[in-house]
Amino acid sequence: PVHPVPSTQGGRGVLCLLGYTEEVGEGLQFPEGTPSPDLSRVAAVTADLLVLRGEIDLLLANQHPNPQFFTDILEGKDE
């Protein structure tokens, strides 16, 4: 079955890493003859990407409520 999802910048590369390597129209699918994708993992990665994208958009717009969080991550500090 086809499960379309909205396009996310960089999403195509992530899907390729998860095994979606066969191009179909404007999207990607698992190649025939390979095991089915782990849909829960794909959904979790997609959700994480969408949340991260929103966080980065807020950060770039100088509207993020906790920009220090990203500084700590980039500097390798533990929470």
Side-chain angles (χ1 to χ4, degrees):
V2 176
H3 301 284
V5 294
S7 178
T8 301
Q9 185 175 357
R12 184 174 284 270
V14 172
L15 288 174
C16 285
L17 292 173
L18 291 171
Y20 290 85
T21 56
E22 187 173 303
E23 293 203 27
V24 177
E26 294 183 19
L28 298 170
Q29 72 178 18
F30 255 56
E32 293 210 19
T34 59
S36 296
D38 180 349
L39 294 180
S40 62
R41 181 173 180 220
V42 172
V45 169
T46 301
D48 287 345
L49 286 174
L50 292 173
V51 169
L52 179 60
R53 179 66 189 205
E55 295 262 353
I56 290 173
D57 287 344
L58 287 172
L59 187 65
L60 292 174
N62 290 321
Q63 296 178 348
H64 196 282
N66 189 9
Q68 185 63 38
F69 174 76
F70 289 94
T71 302
D72 292 347
I73 290 173
L74 293 173
E75 292 177 355
K77 296 180 182 177
D78 291 332
E79 290 187 33

